[in-house]
Amino acid sequence: MTNVDELLARMSPAEKAGQLTQYFYFRLPAGAEAEPALGLDVAEQPQAVEAALSRGEAGSLLFVTDPGEINRLQRLALEGNPHGIPLLFGFDVIHGLRTIFPVPIAMAASWDPEIIERGQAIAAREARAVGIHWAFAPMVDIARDPRWGRIVEGAGEDPYLGAVVAAAQVRGFQRHIIAGPKHFGGYGAALGGRDYDEANLSDHELWNVYFPPFRAAIEAGAGNVMTAYMDLNGIPATASHWLFTEVLRDAWGFDGFVVSDANAVRNLVTHGFARDLTEAGERAVIAGVDMEMAIADPAYARLPESQAPAEVIDSRVRKILEAKVRLGLFDDPYVNEDRARTVLADPAHRAAAREAAQRTAVLLRNEGDLLPLDAGDLRSIAVLGPLADSKRDTLGPWVFDFDLDETVTVLDGIRGFVKDRADVDYAPGIPVGQRTFPSMFDMFGGNAPADPPGFDAEAEFARAVATAAAADVAVVVAGEWQNMIGEAASRSSLELPGRQLELLQAVVATGTPTVLLVMNGRPLDLRWAAEHVPAILDIWYPGTQGGAAVADLLFGDVSPSGKLPFTWPRTVGQIPMISSHTTSHEPENQARRYWDEASTPLFPFGHGLSYGRFSYGDLTVDRPVVGREGTVAVSVEVTNDADRAAAEVVQLYLRQRHGTASRPVRELKGFRRVVVPARSTVVVEFTIGPEHRRYWNAAVRDWVLDATSFDVEVGGSAASFDVRPAVAEG
Ligand code: BGC
């Protein structure tokens, strides 16, 4: 058994600083050039890192995923380290390693902790098999501004849903590797939705909205937490003693290690906060940041010359060594490459990815029950739009180790489903690679060329419309190219990029019944479509098996059951728009809010239709009056009148009527995904305890539980309710 104290006693200051340093180790695809902003010399980087390994002065690497490479680098580290301390390998395992699941916002739209946990357990199994010990995930930042590109990586706007999803992900990851919830804290509140810009959040918002998912992730046992890039209330988050010591460790009892975001310690100089790199390292380590993630030239390498107290540095090194001991790396530092290949090829992983994609899609509109389509009844199907046959876009952002050959696009999925029962005619209308934005992630390859040689834009557009006109049904896939969302991919508009709306309008004008499949990670401006396109299914970026799952849904093998994890605004000007807002003067007078636009969303939080026909029966509350600390049992009957079984996500909201603060008009406090058989009724039960009613109160600067009455609301979205009053007495 490795004795951490003995190790510490033998280590030199430079070796300790090394343990606290994590380096990027990049090998880009042949011909690729590193994004200049990364400040990375691709040719120099590997040699510089290997030199640090040979000196015993690196604790961790990120971005290596090849098991052979991982073994080689581990050997170098073990041979170079006089104490035999192994390397920790971290990576962005965000929604799968080789088997790609739907993007995180989509997984949240399943409202299904079971599939979320299973998905991340599979991702973690693949990661561990290749030698990765730690995922920089889940991203649990609340996102209330969809201009912010990283909304795609989280669970949306709501702290309760966010907390459930965070805990499920941590449980899944930690079956095999360490999970690192990020980015603590408040990163999602970037001013104007501009990535990396400052966040200014009141304590009320931090404790009630932005912190709960982190707290849930810690309670689920997360072994790591990552810092955030921006200033939080005027202090760089990465140097916040309050965040990393007072809240995380002292208040929540976090026992794992904290890593900075990439180059965030260096950035303390950029912020105009630290005088130089030495002071940057010193202030971050004192604040509670155990490890620095560095692209190059780490600040923590200067810790031995800094004023950081030796006992602080020792306590940070202890955390890193403890993590390595817990992972068993001192005993078993290498991976078995044959086993890695077998695990990555496991067909059960693909089956789970398909199931996940089935559960994440949200049926936004279905006028006249256009969906499901009857494959036996159609002679020809037009599949249109460039995203319909783009493998790379189907996978979504934040994947690196993908296999395009096994990725199923929407077109592949539809063709595979209908076989020779109908003609499937594809026309992109717009070049498949046409993206309006070059992303820093493009260096990892996979995107189709923006200007394919010989693509005649006008002729192709006309061919797409003619294809629609000749078909029995048109399926248009529209949205954002995957590199238009994610990190450093914020937008000032929510409009469909390029000529996609024009294409959709021309297709609808042919009179052929049209289904719109939206490929996205944020709400887009669908005002026109929501009025003119009868069926709209949000398929997100559905992953490796996405197209197969979409066909299962389109043709009715499976009913859609996803629900929106955010409020879908009509237009960018309404942002931010959330379901759990408070109320004030003349709430019924909408024109006092905006005179030129409704203040209601296009689709409410929690919205999602089904091929089932659900109605909600009597809501019962077991006792109308409880003590302030008391618990209320709520039950509701949910009936499915359709001839088929279908899943519904039953949602419970609370509204406090009076108290020592104004409380939101509704707050999600419970949900259950239930499968209701054909022509049947099921009873769904919830318990409302004091933990659901307690909130952080800005007047007393503490948690309170008011003596009050509250409304209990249950329904299939945040806008359709059966309401019952209940009272919690003091
Ligand atoms: C992102 C993190 C990510 C890290 C490593 C940063 O730019 O903000 O979320 O984990 O890079 O790739």
Side-chain angles (χ1 to χ4, degrees), residues 22 24 26 38 62-63 91-94 135-137 139 141 150 153 180 182-183 187 195-196 226-229 259-263 293 295 398 400 440-441 487-488:
Q22 180 184 49
F24 272 83
F26 269 121
L38 289 180
L62 76 152
F63 253 83
F91 190 57
D92 288 285
V93 187
I94 307 299
F136 309 135
M139 192 199 88
D141 296 314
R150 304 197 78 169
E153 294 174 57
K182 65 189 187 184
H183 308 80
Y187 179 36
D195 207 2
Y196 314 136
M226 188 186 287
T227 75
Y229 278 132
V259 69
S260 78
D261 201 344
N263 270 355
M293 183 191 287
I295 293 181
W398 277 115
F400 303 95
M440 68 172 176
F441 292 105
E487 185 177 352

Short mmCIF file of all heavy atoms in Angstrom, two decimals, residues 22 24 26 38 62-63 91-94 135-137 139 141 150 153 180 182-183 187 195-196 226-229 259-263 293 295 398 400 440-441 487-488, ligand 1:
data_model
loop_
_atom_site.label_atom_id
_atom_site.label_comp_id
_atom_site.label_asym_id
_atom_site.label_seq_id
_atom_site.Cartn_x
_atom_site.Cartn_y
_atom_site.Cartn_z
N GLN A 22 -0.81 19.62 -14.86
CA GLN A 22 -1.35 18.77 -15.92
C GLN A 22 -1.05 19.44 -17.26
O GLN A 22 -1.36 20.61 -17.45
CB GLN A 22 -2.86 18.61 -15.76
CG GLN A 22 -3.46 17.73 -16.85
CD GLN A 22 -4.96 17.63 -16.77
OE1 GLN A 22 -5.64 18.65 -16.66
NE2 GLN A 22 -5.48 16.43 -16.81
N PHE A 24 -1.35 19.50 -21.52
CA PHE A 24 -1.93 19.02 -22.78
C PHE A 24 -0.86 18.22 -23.51
O PHE A 24 0.31 18.60 -23.50
CB PHE A 24 -2.32 20.19 -23.68
CG PHE A 24 -3.70 20.70 -23.44
CD1 PHE A 24 -3.94 21.60 -22.41
CD2 PHE A 24 -4.75 20.32 -24.25
CE1 PHE A 24 -5.22 22.09 -22.18
CE2 PHE A 24 -6.03 20.80 -24.03
CZ PHE A 24 -6.26 21.69 -23.00
N PHE A 26 -0.72 16.99 -27.29
CA PHE A 26 -1.48 17.00 -28.55
C PHE A 26 -0.76 16.26 -29.64
O PHE A 26 0.42 16.48 -29.88
CB PHE A 26 -1.61 18.45 -29.06
CG PHE A 26 -2.83 19.16 -28.59
CD1 PHE A 26 -2.72 20.32 -27.86
CD2 PHE A 26 -4.08 18.69 -28.91
CE1 PHE A 26 -3.84 21.01 -27.45
CE2 PHE A 26 -5.21 19.38 -28.51
CZ PHE A 26 -5.09 20.53 -27.77
N LEU A 38 -4.47 29.06 -29.11
CA LEU A 38 -4.07 28.13 -28.04
C LEU A 38 -2.63 28.39 -27.59
O LEU A 38 -2.20 27.87 -26.57
CB LEU A 38 -4.21 26.68 -28.51
CG LEU A 38 -5.62 26.15 -28.69
CD1 LEU A 38 -5.58 24.71 -29.16
CD2 LEU A 38 -6.39 26.23 -27.37
N LEU A 62 -3.42 15.47 -20.46
CA LEU A 62 -4.76 15.39 -21.06
C LEU A 62 -4.65 15.35 -22.56
O LEU A 62 -3.67 15.80 -23.14
CB LEU A 62 -5.66 16.54 -20.62
CG LEU A 62 -5.47 17.93 -21.22
CD1 LEU A 62 -6.80 18.67 -21.20
CD2 LEU A 62 -4.46 18.70 -20.44
N PHE A 63 -5.67 14.79 -23.14
CA PHE A 63 -5.86 14.72 -24.59
C PHE A 63 -5.17 13.54 -25.26
O PHE A 63 -5.11 13.49 -26.48
CB PHE A 63 -5.48 16.04 -25.28
CG PHE A 63 -6.70 16.77 -25.73
CD1 PHE A 63 -7.41 17.55 -24.84
CD2 PHE A 63 -7.20 16.61 -27.01
CE1 PHE A 63 -8.59 18.18 -25.23
CE2 PHE A 63 -8.37 17.25 -27.41
CZ PHE A 63 -9.05 18.02 -26.51
N PHE A 91 -9.39 13.49 -19.72
CA PHE A 91 -9.86 13.80 -21.07
C PHE A 91 -11.29 14.33 -21.03
O PHE A 91 -12.02 14.07 -20.08
CB PHE A 91 -9.80 12.53 -21.94
CG PHE A 91 -10.03 12.79 -23.41
CD1 PHE A 91 -9.22 13.68 -24.10
CD2 PHE A 91 -11.06 12.17 -24.10
CE1 PHE A 91 -9.42 13.93 -25.46
CE2 PHE A 91 -11.27 12.41 -25.45
CZ PHE A 91 -10.44 13.29 -26.13
N ASP A 92 -11.65 15.03 -22.08
CA ASP A 92 -13.02 15.51 -22.20
C ASP A 92 -13.92 14.37 -22.71
O ASP A 92 -14.19 14.28 -23.91
CB ASP A 92 -13.09 16.70 -23.15
CG ASP A 92 -12.49 17.94 -22.52
OD1 ASP A 92 -13.14 18.54 -21.67
OD2 ASP A 92 -11.34 18.30 -22.87
N VAL A 93 -14.34 13.52 -21.80
CA VAL A 93 -15.29 12.46 -22.16
C VAL A 93 -16.66 13.06 -21.85
O VAL A 93 -17.18 12.97 -20.75
CB VAL A 93 -15.06 11.19 -21.31
CG1 VAL A 93 -15.95 10.05 -21.81
CG2 VAL A 93 -13.60 10.78 -21.32
N ILE A 94 -17.24 13.72 -22.83
CA ILE A 94 -18.40 14.56 -22.55
C ILE A 94 -19.71 13.81 -22.83
O ILE A 94 -20.61 13.79 -22.01
CB ILE A 94 -18.35 15.87 -23.37
CG1 ILE A 94 -17.00 16.58 -23.17
CG2 ILE A 94 -19.52 16.78 -23.03
CD1 ILE A 94 -16.69 17.01 -21.77
N ALA A 135 -12.70 12.05 -16.30
CA ALA A 135 -13.44 12.82 -17.32
C ALA A 135 -13.64 14.25 -16.84
O ALA A 135 -14.00 14.46 -15.68
CB ALA A 135 -14.81 12.18 -17.57
N PHE A 136 -13.43 15.20 -17.73
CA PHE A 136 -13.74 16.60 -17.41
C PHE A 136 -15.23 16.80 -17.65
O PHE A 136 -15.66 17.51 -18.57
CB PHE A 136 -12.92 17.55 -18.27
CG PHE A 136 -11.44 17.26 -18.26
CD1 PHE A 136 -10.72 17.24 -19.44
CD2 PHE A 136 -10.79 16.99 -17.07
CE1 PHE A 136 -9.37 16.97 -19.43
CE2 PHE A 136 -9.43 16.72 -17.05
CZ PHE A 136 -8.72 16.70 -18.23
N ALA A 137 -16.01 16.15 -16.88
CA ALA A 137 -17.46 16.14 -17.05
C ALA A 137 -18.07 15.55 -15.78
O ALA A 137 -17.38 14.82 -15.07
CB ALA A 137 -17.83 15.28 -18.27
N MET A 139 -20.51 18.74 -17.28
CA MET A 139 -20.65 20.18 -17.17
C MET A 139 -22.02 20.45 -16.56
O MET A 139 -23.03 20.07 -17.15
CB MET A 139 -20.54 20.89 -18.52
CG MET A 139 -20.40 22.40 -18.30
SD MET A 139 -20.77 23.43 -19.71
CE MET A 139 -22.53 23.65 -19.48
N ASP A 141 -23.09 23.50 -15.42
CA ASP A 141 -23.41 24.92 -15.38
C ASP A 141 -24.84 25.16 -15.85
O ASP A 141 -25.23 24.72 -16.93
CB ASP A 141 -22.46 25.70 -16.30
CG ASP A 141 -21.03 25.62 -15.82
OD1 ASP A 141 -20.80 25.81 -14.61
OD2 ASP A 141 -20.14 25.36 -16.65
N ARG A 150 -22.15 27.05 -24.88
CA ARG A 150 -21.95 25.88 -24.03
C ARG A 150 -23.24 25.38 -23.39
O ARG A 150 -23.21 24.41 -22.63
CB ARG A 150 -20.85 26.17 -23.01
CG ARG A 150 -19.57 26.59 -23.69
CD ARG A 150 -18.36 26.51 -22.81
NE ARG A 150 -17.89 25.13 -22.68
CZ ARG A 150 -16.72 24.79 -22.13
NH1 ARG A 150 -15.91 25.74 -21.67
NH2 ARG A 150 -16.35 23.54 -22.05
N GLU A 153 -23.69 21.71 -23.54
CA GLU A 153 -22.95 20.77 -22.69
C GLU A 153 -23.62 20.51 -21.35
O GLU A 153 -23.15 19.68 -20.57
CB GLU A 153 -21.55 21.31 -22.41
CG GLU A 153 -20.66 21.40 -23.61
CD GLU A 153 -19.35 22.09 -23.27
OE1 GLU A 153 -18.64 21.61 -22.37
OE2 GLU A 153 -19.04 23.11 -23.90
N GLY A 180 -15.49 14.94 -13.03
CA GLY A 180 -15.10 16.30 -12.64
C GLY A 180 -16.15 17.32 -13.04
O GLY A 180 -16.08 17.92 -14.11
N LYS A 182 -18.00 20.65 -13.70
CA LYS A 182 -17.37 21.91 -14.05
C LYS A 182 -18.45 22.88 -14.48
O LYS A 182 -19.57 22.44 -14.77
CB LYS A 182 -16.34 21.70 -15.17
CG LYS A 182 -16.96 21.24 -16.52
CD LYS A 182 -15.88 20.83 -17.50
CE LYS A 182 -16.48 20.55 -18.87
NZ LYS A 182 -15.49 20.06 -19.84
N HIS A 183 -18.22 24.18 -14.55
CA HIS A 183 -17.01 24.92 -14.20
C HIS A 183 -17.43 25.76 -13.02
O HIS A 183 -18.29 26.65 -13.21
CB HIS A 183 -16.56 25.81 -15.35
CG HIS A 183 -16.43 25.07 -16.68
ND1 HIS A 183 -17.48 24.77 -17.50
CD2 HIS A 183 -15.34 24.57 -17.33
CE1 HIS A 183 -17.06 24.14 -18.59
NE2 HIS A 183 -15.78 24.01 -18.52
N TYR A 187 -20.34 29.99 -14.46
CA TYR A 187 -19.79 30.22 -15.82
C TYR A 187 -20.91 30.44 -16.85
O TYR A 187 -20.76 31.22 -17.79
CB TYR A 187 -18.94 29.01 -16.16
CG TYR A 187 -18.27 28.96 -17.51
CD1 TYR A 187 -17.76 30.10 -18.14
CD2 TYR A 187 -18.09 27.73 -18.16
CE1 TYR A 187 -17.12 30.01 -19.37
CE2 TYR A 187 -17.45 27.63 -19.37
CZ TYR A 187 -16.97 28.77 -19.99
OH TYR A 187 -16.34 28.67 -21.20
N ASP A 195 -19.04 33.83 -24.54
CA ASP A 195 -18.24 32.86 -23.79
C ASP A 195 -17.07 33.56 -23.11
O ASP A 195 -16.44 34.46 -23.70
CB ASP A 195 -17.73 31.74 -24.70
CG ASP A 195 -17.51 30.46 -23.91
OD1 ASP A 195 -17.77 30.45 -22.70
OD2 ASP A 195 -17.09 29.46 -24.52
N TYR A 196 -16.79 33.14 -21.91
CA TYR A 196 -15.68 33.60 -21.06
C TYR A 196 -15.93 34.96 -20.42
O TYR A 196 -15.12 35.40 -19.60
CB TYR A 196 -14.32 33.67 -21.80
CG TYR A 196 -13.97 32.48 -22.65
CD1 TYR A 196 -13.42 32.66 -23.94
CD2 TYR A 196 -14.12 31.18 -22.19
CE1 TYR A 196 -13.06 31.59 -24.73
CE2 TYR A 196 -13.76 30.09 -22.99
CZ TYR A 196 -13.23 30.30 -24.27
OH TYR A 196 -12.87 29.23 -25.05
N MET A 226 -13.73 21.25 -11.58
CA MET A 226 -12.93 22.16 -12.41
C MET A 226 -13.34 23.60 -12.17
O MET A 226 -14.52 23.88 -11.95
CB MET A 226 -13.09 21.81 -13.90
CG MET A 226 -12.14 22.58 -14.82
SD MET A 226 -12.46 22.29 -16.58
CE MET A 226 -11.84 20.64 -16.79
N THR A 227 -12.38 24.49 -12.24
CA THR A 227 -12.68 25.92 -12.06
C THR A 227 -13.28 26.49 -13.35
O THR A 227 -13.38 25.80 -14.36
CB THR A 227 -11.41 26.73 -11.71
OG1 THR A 227 -10.62 26.89 -12.89
CG2 THR A 227 -10.59 26.06 -10.62
N ALA A 228 -13.62 27.76 -13.30
CA ALA A 228 -14.21 28.44 -14.47
C ALA A 228 -13.29 29.58 -14.90
O ALA A 228 -12.50 30.10 -14.12
CB ALA A 228 -15.59 28.96 -14.11
N TYR A 229 -13.44 29.97 -16.17
CA TYR A 229 -12.56 30.99 -16.75
C TYR A 229 -12.84 32.41 -16.31
O TYR A 229 -11.96 33.25 -16.33
CB TYR A 229 -12.71 30.97 -18.27
CG TYR A 229 -11.90 29.92 -19.00
CD1 TYR A 229 -12.49 29.10 -19.96
CD2 TYR A 229 -10.54 29.78 -18.75
CE1 TYR A 229 -11.75 28.16 -20.66
CE2 TYR A 229 -9.79 28.83 -19.44
CZ TYR A 229 -10.40 28.03 -20.39
OH TYR A 229 -9.66 27.11 -21.08
N VAL A 259 -9.14 21.08 -10.23
CA VAL A 259 -8.23 21.39 -11.33
C VAL A 259 -8.67 22.73 -11.92
O VAL A 259 -9.86 23.05 -11.93
CB VAL A 259 -8.26 20.28 -12.42
CG1 VAL A 259 -9.59 20.24 -13.16
CG2 VAL A 259 -7.12 20.45 -13.42
N SER A 260 -7.70 23.49 -12.39
CA SER A 260 -8.07 24.74 -13.07
C SER A 260 -8.58 24.41 -14.45
O SER A 260 -8.24 23.36 -15.00
CB SER A 260 -6.85 25.64 -13.20
OG SER A 260 -6.02 25.20 -14.28
N ASP A 261 -9.34 25.29 -15.06
CA ASP A 261 -9.63 25.11 -16.48
C ASP A 261 -8.32 25.40 -17.24
O ASP A 261 -7.36 25.94 -16.68
CB ASP A 261 -10.78 26.01 -16.94
CG ASP A 261 -11.41 25.47 -18.24
OD1 ASP A 261 -10.76 24.64 -18.91
OD2 ASP A 261 -12.52 25.89 -18.60
N ALA A 262 -8.31 25.03 -18.52
CA ALA A 262 -7.07 25.10 -19.29
C ALA A 262 -6.52 26.53 -19.32
O ALA A 262 -7.21 27.44 -19.79
CB ALA A 262 -7.31 24.61 -20.71
N ASN A 263 -5.33 26.71 -18.84
CA ASN A 263 -4.65 28.00 -18.82
C ASN A 263 -5.32 29.03 -17.91
O ASN A 263 -4.96 30.21 -17.95
CB ASN A 263 -4.52 28.61 -20.23
CG ASN A 263 -3.23 28.16 -20.90
OD1 ASN A 263 -2.41 27.49 -20.28
ND2 ASN A 263 -3.05 28.55 -22.14
N MET A 293 -4.24 23.01 -15.02
CA MET A 293 -4.26 22.47 -16.38
C MET A 293 -3.59 23.50 -17.27
O MET A 293 -4.05 24.65 -17.33
CB MET A 293 -5.71 22.24 -16.82
CG MET A 293 -5.83 21.60 -18.20
SD MET A 293 -7.52 21.64 -18.84
CE MET A 293 -8.33 20.42 -17.84
N ILE A 295 -1.68 24.58 -20.98
CA ILE A 295 -1.41 24.27 -22.38
C ILE A 295 0.11 24.31 -22.58
O ILE A 295 0.70 23.46 -23.22
CB ILE A 295 -2.16 25.23 -23.31
CG1 ILE A 295 -3.66 24.97 -23.16
CG2 ILE A 295 -1.71 25.05 -24.75
CD1 ILE A 295 -4.56 25.82 -24.01
N TRP A 398 -17.72 18.39 -29.14
CA TRP A 398 -17.04 17.76 -28.00
C TRP A 398 -16.89 16.26 -28.15
O TRP A 398 -17.10 15.51 -27.21
CB TRP A 398 -17.74 18.07 -26.67
CG TRP A 398 -17.35 19.39 -26.11
CD1 TRP A 398 -18.17 20.47 -25.94
CD2 TRP A 398 -16.05 19.80 -25.62
NE1 TRP A 398 -17.47 21.52 -25.39
CE2 TRP A 398 -16.16 21.13 -25.19
CE3 TRP A 398 -14.80 19.18 -25.53
CZ2 TRP A 398 -15.09 21.87 -24.67
CZ3 TRP A 398 -13.74 19.90 -25.01
CH2 TRP A 398 -13.88 21.22 -24.59
N PHE A 400 -13.96 13.54 -30.09
CA PHE A 400 -12.65 13.56 -30.74
C PHE A 400 -12.27 12.18 -31.26
O PHE A 400 -11.55 12.06 -32.22
CB PHE A 400 -11.58 14.04 -29.74
CG PHE A 400 -11.90 15.38 -29.16
CD1 PHE A 400 -12.55 15.50 -27.94
CD2 PHE A 400 -11.58 16.54 -29.86
CE1 PHE A 400 -12.86 16.75 -27.42
CE2 PHE A 400 -11.89 17.79 -29.34
CZ PHE A 400 -12.53 17.90 -28.12
N MET A 440 -12.46 26.63 -33.20
CA MET A 440 -11.14 26.17 -32.78
C MET A 440 -11.06 24.64 -32.78
O MET A 440 -9.99 24.08 -32.78
CB MET A 440 -10.77 26.74 -31.43
CG MET A 440 -11.57 26.25 -30.25
SD MET A 440 -10.80 26.90 -28.74
CE MET A 440 -11.93 26.32 -27.49
N PHE A 441 -12.21 23.99 -32.78
CA PHE A 441 -12.19 22.53 -32.76
C PHE A 441 -12.06 21.93 -34.16
O PHE A 441 -11.92 20.72 -34.31
CB PHE A 441 -13.44 21.98 -32.07
CG PHE A 441 -13.46 22.29 -30.60
CD1 PHE A 441 -14.27 23.29 -30.08
CD2 PHE A 441 -12.62 21.60 -29.74
CE1 PHE A 441 -14.27 23.59 -28.73
CE2 PHE A 441 -12.61 21.89 -28.37
CZ PHE A 441 -13.44 22.89 -27.87
N GLU A 487 -17.90 25.27 -26.91
CA GLU A 487 -17.02 26.30 -26.36
C GLU A 487 -16.63 27.30 -27.44
O GLU A 487 -16.41 26.93 -28.59
CB GLU A 487 -15.76 25.65 -25.79
CG GLU A 487 -14.90 26.70 -25.10
CD GLU A 487 -13.66 26.11 -24.44
OE1 GLU A 487 -13.53 24.89 -24.38
OE2 GLU A 487 -12.83 26.92 -23.98
N ALA A 488 -16.54 28.55 -27.04
CA ALA A 488 -16.15 29.62 -27.95
C ALA A 488 -17.03 29.63 -29.20
O ALA A 488 -16.56 29.88 -30.30
CB ALA A 488 -14.67 29.50 -28.33
C1 BGC B 1 -12.80 24.01 -21.42
C2 BGC B 1 -13.01 22.85 -20.48
C3 BGC B 1 -12.29 21.63 -20.99
C4 BGC B 1 -10.83 21.97 -21.16
C5 BGC B 1 -9.99 20.80 -21.64
C6 BGC B 1 -11.34 24.22 -21.73
O1 BGC B 1 -11.14 25.15 -22.73
O2 BGC B 1 -13.36 25.18 -20.88
O3 BGC B 1 -14.38 22.60 -20.33
O4 BGC B 1 -12.48 20.55 -20.13
O5 BGC B 1 -10.70 23.01 -22.10
O6 BGC B 1 -10.26 20.49 -22.95
#
